[in-house]
Amino acid sequence: MPEAQVTANYRFVGAYQEVNTRIAQRQQALTIYVSMILSLLAALVALKPGTAGATLPIQWLVLGFPVASTFLALMSYKAEMAITNLRRFLCALERLGNENGNVPSYNANPTWSINANRARHMQDYAAALLALAGNAVGLLAAVKIYPTQFSENPSAIWIAGVVALASLVFLLWIPKLSFIPADDDPQGA
């Protein structure tokens, strides 16, 4: 039985489809994050003092805001690492038989790669801005609606704030992981 081989073209198409899937996953993570924040805000309002749920330990609910932004940061990191790895693979494929650079190369040419990264970084910055706003609105609303609970137990709001800040720093660090090909590296590593 003859051995079947997959050509570089099919590998390239498959890898690019995977890149598009990872980009879509980043968008879905933003949607999930917004849904989580809106749900947490709705719960804060629904359980406000004077309602049946006012005796619940609201401090636990507040921790949901930084957990949501940490989720967003981790999902963004996972997607960026997968995209970087796939682009490294695409770069190697684009350089096959193109040592003299006759054929334009999107992933192997640093100029084009850097511009593609800049465009993708807008999503990273938008995610960080969204996480900043979600945490700020959520934590400030909790303190405003439940001043007594947080004056008695301020550690919950401080813990939530520190975790939220860490997730924001992580979201802003992710763009540094983007793939940039080396001009002189034929393997694109």
Side-chain angles (χ1 to χ4, degrees):
M1 181 173 230
E3 193 173 304
Q5 290 187 348
V6 178
T7 67
N9 279 345
Y10 286 114
R11 292 172 194 222
F12 188 87
V13 169
Y16 242 107
Q17 287 175 338
E18 185 66 22
V19 167
N20 289 332
T21 298
R22 299 303 175 169
I23 291 169
Q25 286 177 343
R26 289 181 80 168
Q27 290 299 114
Q28 290 170 345
L30 285 173
T31 302
I32 293 168
Y33 174 75
V34 169
S35 297
M36 291 169 71
I37 293 301
L38 291 175
S39 298
L40 288 165
L41 284 170
L44 277 176
V45 172
L47 298 173
K48 68 183 176 189
T51 64
T55 59
L56 293 174
I58 204 66
Q59 294 84 350
W60 291 100
L61 185 61
V62 166
L63 295 176
F65 291 99
V67 167
S69 62
T70 300
F71 157 82
L72 179 60
L74 292 174
M75 295 304 290
S76 296
Y77 174 78
K78 178 191 88 144
E80 186 61 37
M81 293 312 304
I83 290 169
T84 296
N85 190 42
L86 288 162
R87 288 186 66 207
R88 186 172 287 120
F89 178 72
L90 289 166
C91 178
L93 289 175
E94 287 177 4
R95 288 182 171 166
L96 285 176
N98 192 28
E99 288 77 16
N100 57 8
N102 288 340
V103 179
S105 177
Y106 185 75
N107 290 291
N109 184 320
T111 302
W112 292 31
S113 291
I114 290 169
N115 287 333
N117 289 343
R118 284 186 188 136
R120 227 176 40 262
H121 294 337
M122 288 300 112
Q123 170 137 2
D124 296 320
Y125 301 139
L129 183 61
L130 190 60
L132 174 66
N135 279 295
V137 168
L139 298 179
L140 291 173
V143 170
K144 182 72 173 166
I145 296 171
Y146 304 96
T148 305
Q149 288 89 334
F150 289 108
S151 65
E152 293 171 0
N153 188 5
S155 62
I157 209 76
W158 282 105
I159 291 169
V162 167
V163 174
L165 182 61
S167 70
L168 289 172
V169 169
F170 191 55
L171 278 166
L172 292 171
W173 175 72
I174 290 172
K176 303 234 183 276
L177 304 174
S178 295
F179 170 69
I180 300 172
D183 276 329
D184 58 349
D185 184 1
Q187 296 302 314

